[in-house]
Amino acid sequence: MPAASRSSMRTGAIVQNQFETAADLIGLEEHLRHILKTPFRSVTVEVPVRMDDGRIEVYRGYRVQHNGARGPCKGGIRFHPEADHDEVLGLATTMTWKTALVDIPFGGAKGGVQVDTRGLSARELEAVTRAFVSRIAIVLGPYRDIPAPDMGTNAQVMAWLLDEYSKRGGYTPAAVTGKPLALGGSLGREEATGRGVVYCMHAFADDFGVPLKGGRVVIQGFGNVGAHLARIAHEDGAKIVAVSDRDGGLHNEKGLDIPKLFQHAYVERKPVIEFPGGDRIDNRALWDIPCEWLVPAALGGVINKEDTVGRIDCKVVVEAANSPTTPVADKILEERGIPVLPDFLVNSGGVVVSYFEWVQNLQQHPWPLRQVTDELGAKLTAAYTAVRDTVREKGVSWRTGAMALALKRVAEAERLRGNY
Ligand code: NAD
């Protein structure tokens, strides 16, 4: 089936465009604009790996630390054939705004290795991880820069990362988050982003009368974020009428049987379209389904002028994925009066629980799941409320309000630290 078309606008350009609008709103000084538009440190490395057949492949890797004024840099590492410097910088920049917005004591970073993991054996994947980490370890550390999983990496990759890093300074669990539980990972980390999305939906529902209980939800993507948010929203009474993955989607006006679909598609890793209990749709048709809550939870640039924005019929867009809406589509949604809850608010649950993991590691004191869930709710609700108040006070979009708030916090830390 045809994949949903994506705008050609890259993450970096999308993030840059949002920055200027918010910087104008808070009257940000010229030198701070420059500092905050460029990375604090950007490292490019070659990653040579001996493959199982004896050849040596050389991959390219990046670690970009965008800003560390508010605390150690924080951000994932992705293994993807299209990971390049611009993309990694755009994502690192978003991490700076995200950590500031949810008010955790971190800055923003991101890493990437240009590698297609699909053809790799487990040994080769481990070798890529160790070679990359050995080359960037000098800029990492629990008080300097703390990686986490992202596209193409997982808890096992983080375990290898921890092991490789610990060879240098001794056992240092706080040097990386998203680890397996047995190595100091946190309870609640796997579902944290999806749970955070639902906390934001609850808060918006309470304020603006868009019902979550009984409300129709359409979700693009049924991976870590999409599947968990579907499961939790369903538990809270929402009606999930359509979901999709890369192979296509399912639609059922009465609501899909989410617990069974979760088992089928998320636990057993089978395509969504092979699940009985709904009409099969192609990925394009997902955007035509009327709903209260439209939740892109897969790719960037999917809500765009070229293909999708004109067909959307919802009360609110909830950006669970990173950069799913292009700036032009954002403007069109604004003109149509459809609010867009921005990615760096909505999908920040993962980094918030990463922060909790770091705290638990530093204190060598694991938290029970209830504490993780409650403190996640408190962090996200506080961030949501601060954005809502800015939106009301300044009459701006949710994205501009959120960005202005984040920018203000980072700029304040930069000014106080000085060092120019
Ligand atoms: P994932 O790889 O677990 O899942 C991605 C899902 O999207 C899969 O179901 C895949 O089949 C689907 N998909 C891919 N192409 C598609 C297409 N053309 N149409 C419909 N579905 C398609 O990834 P994830 O961790 O769930 O991340 C999803 C998004 O959320 C990404 O943008 C990611 O950057 C963002 N995000 C993730 C986290 C996290 O903690 N996992 C945190 C913040 C942001």
Side-chain angles (χ1 to χ4, degrees), residues 2-4 6 78 91 98 110 149-152 189-190 192-194 220-227 244-248 266 269 272 283 286 296-300 302 320-323 347-351:
R6 299 170 65 183
R78 62 173 50 182
L91 293 163
K98 197 183 280 194
K110 205 81 179 187
D150 195 79
M151 237 190 254
R189 173 63 184 87
E190 191 192 315
T193 304
Q220 185 198 37
F222 208 71
N224 174 284
V225 179
S244 65
D245 64 16
R246 62 170 58 81
D247 299 312
Y266 186 71
R269 306 269 161 199
V272 160
N283 278 327
L286 187 87
L299 310 166
V302 291
N322 280 323
S323 303
N347 69 28
S348 58
V351 74

Side-chain angles (χ1 to χ4, degrees), residues 225-265:
V225 179
H228 281 293
L229 89 86
R231 178 178 61 76
I232 296 163
H234 173 82
E235 282 166 10
D236 292 354
K239 193 159 76 164
I240 319 295
V241 292
V243 305
S244 65
D245 64 16
R246 62 170 58 81
D247 299 312
L250 268 192
H251 177 210
N252 185 340
E253 236 355 80
K254 295 203 190 91
L256 294 159
D257 184 341
I258 293 298
K260 287 198 177 125
L261 181 58
F262 185 89
Q263 175 65 29
H264 165 94

